[in-house]
Amino acid sequence: MAIEAPSPTPSPTPEALRLPLVAAPMAGLTHSAFRRLVGELGGAAALTSEMLAGTRLLVERPDSPYLRRRPGDGPVIYQLLLRDARRLDEIVDRLRPCHPDGIDLNCACPAGGVRALGGGAALFEDAPRLGGILRELRRLWSGPLSVKIRLGHSPVDGWEQRLRDRLAMLRDHGVDRLTIHPRFAVDRLTRPARPALLPWLCAEAGLPVVANGDIAGPATVAAHPEYYAACSGLMLGRIAVVRPWIFAAWQAGAGWSAPSAAAVWRRAADHIAEDFPAATAARRLRQFTGWYARNFAYGHILAGRVRHLEDLATLRDVAEAFLADDPATVASPPLHDL
Ligand SMILES: Cc1cc2nc3c(=O)[nH]c(=O)nc-3n(C[C@H](O)[C@H](O)[C@H](O)COP(=O)(O)O)c2cc1C
């Protein structure tokens, strides 16, 4: 008598894989043209603008590529880069015509220039200044208010207690939600994120936490669903620029077929050309293409060819020539600095 092997019981999909997916704020990249592209491809629960420097925002028109939104974009959260509460009433008023689905305060950016001005990660280190901004922001803005943070400046003795104190402060100031990128500011993007800390961070935060950092796709979460189980969402940064269809692909699961990489690039280029004046459009398309090139086995050739091109039409021609050869794609694009 033949003995049949029992068929394996399919393991249930971890709940963490079903968390809402949010597109991260990325300077120079998550402008209106990119948000339009992701909206068209689908799957993102919300998109975040790039960081918008408070007083610079005062000269932006609501239809500028930093602020503009289209109905198909889905929910858009506007991220502010602030160093104090000066003119915050005017800054928030400038955002109101965009009907933000949330305002986010950047307390995470480790870039030297931003920190030197007292914004981003430096603001997170300065409790009185941060408190002043949050009090005013909460007074002026009754919609969803979130803060994007790292773990602190560096892993010096006592960093856990400093972070605990700061989390309590954010709660006390009426923040509704946090995005936690579990790296220290000194790690920048070079050291790996520490998602194993997320369960502890969620418990300490006492607020919904969106997890961010090195999430390259469902496999990252499936490898350790316990890290993400207490989170309320997942934020995708670099992988979303390389593969703007990641949100749709993630939601659809197996059997989803990726769009043509050339068609997505072309669409991004069209959207950028439509939203930006020519000189800025070339810069933005160059930036996007530098990341997008990572889809391809020989993408460094494309990235190298466009790196110094100032003219939009030439840039498009050069990229189209590369894409016309139907270049081989890679399974896992590199996300680290090249
Ligand atoms: C080019 C670039 C620009 C970024 N700009 C911002 C920004 O404007 N505001 C912000 O909070 N984080 C910014 N970040 C950080 C990302 O939002 C995110 O926290 C980081 O890339 C880690 O997530 P990932 O591993 O999914 O990319 C930027 C990252 C990159 C690579």
Side-chain angles (χ1 to χ4, degrees), residues 15-214:
E15 282 302 313
L17 278 169
R18 289 195 251 268
L19 288 170
L21 304 174
V22 181
M26 281 178 287
L29 293 164
T30 58
H31 38 64
S32 58
F34 178 77
R35 299 195 291 264
R36 180 179 182 187
L37 178 71
V38 174
E40 287 167 350
L41 291 163
L47 301 114
T48 318
S49 76
E50 55 194 293
M51 54 184 165
L52 304 166
T55 43
R56 281 241 297 277
L57 201 56
L58 295 176
V59 294
E60 292 294 339
R61 293 158 43 115
D63 63 348
S64 89
Y66 308 101
L67 295 179
R68 181 171 187 175
R69 62 184 297 186
R70 296 174 166 88
D73 295 350
V76 179
I77 297 159
Y78 290 87
Q79 187 187 63
L80 289 176
L81 179 67
L82 299 171
R83 59 173 156 168
D84 53 45
R86 268 181 309 155
R87 303 184 74 184
L88 202 43
D89 50 346
E90 293 169 71
I91 292 166
V92 172
D93 279 348
R94 184 59 56 145
L95 288 179
R96 287 189 207 282
C98 309
H99 306 290
D101 292 286
I103 293 183
D104 185 72
L105 178 64
N106 184 330
C107 283
C109 183
V114 167
R115 283 178 43 218
L117 290 172
L123 178 62
F124 196 54
E125 294 303 302
D126 188 334
R129 222 156 35 84
L130 175 58
I133 291 175
L134 288 174
R135 254 190 311 281
E136 189 64 353
L137 206 44
R138 193 66 291 185
R139 186 180 73 76
L140 295 163
W141 172 248
S142 59
L145 176 62
S146 58
V147 178
K148 184 163 179 275
I149 65 169
R150 289 190 174 219
L151 300 172
H153 177 67
S154 59
V156 290
D157 274 358
W159 71 265
E160 294 95 336
Q161 190 53 48
R162 279 172 71 85
L163 180 55
R164 245 185 231 119
D165 294 346
R166 203 60 96 244
L167 292 171
M169 178 186 167
L170 297 175
R171 254 190 337 265
D172 293 347
H173 281 77
V175 170
D176 298 306
R177 199 188 64 219
L178 301 176
T179 297
I180 304 188
H181 177 190
R183 283 184 166 98
F184 291 92
V186 290
D187 295 338
R188 301 177 73 90
L189 276 176
T190 49
R191 296 200 182 165
R194 305 166 203 236
L197 292 174
L198 285 166
W200 173 74
L201 290 162
C202 291
E204 291 292 342
L207 291 172
V209 168
V210 173
N212 170 236
D214 294 353

Side-chain angles (χ1 to χ4, degrees), residues 197-257:
L197 292 174
L198 285 166
W200 173 74
L201 290 162
C202 291
E204 291 292 342
L207 291 172
V209 168
V210 173
N212 170 236
D214 294 353
I215 303 174
T220 309
V221 177
H224 285 287
E226 73 281 9
Y227 291 171
Y228 302 92
C231 297
S232 67
L234 305 170
M235 178 178 274
L236 310 182
R238 292 163 291 175
I239 191 66
V241 184
V242 180
R243 296 192 162 162
W245 56 83
I246 179 92
F247 304 96
W250 188 315
Q251 304 291 2
W256 190 83
S257 49

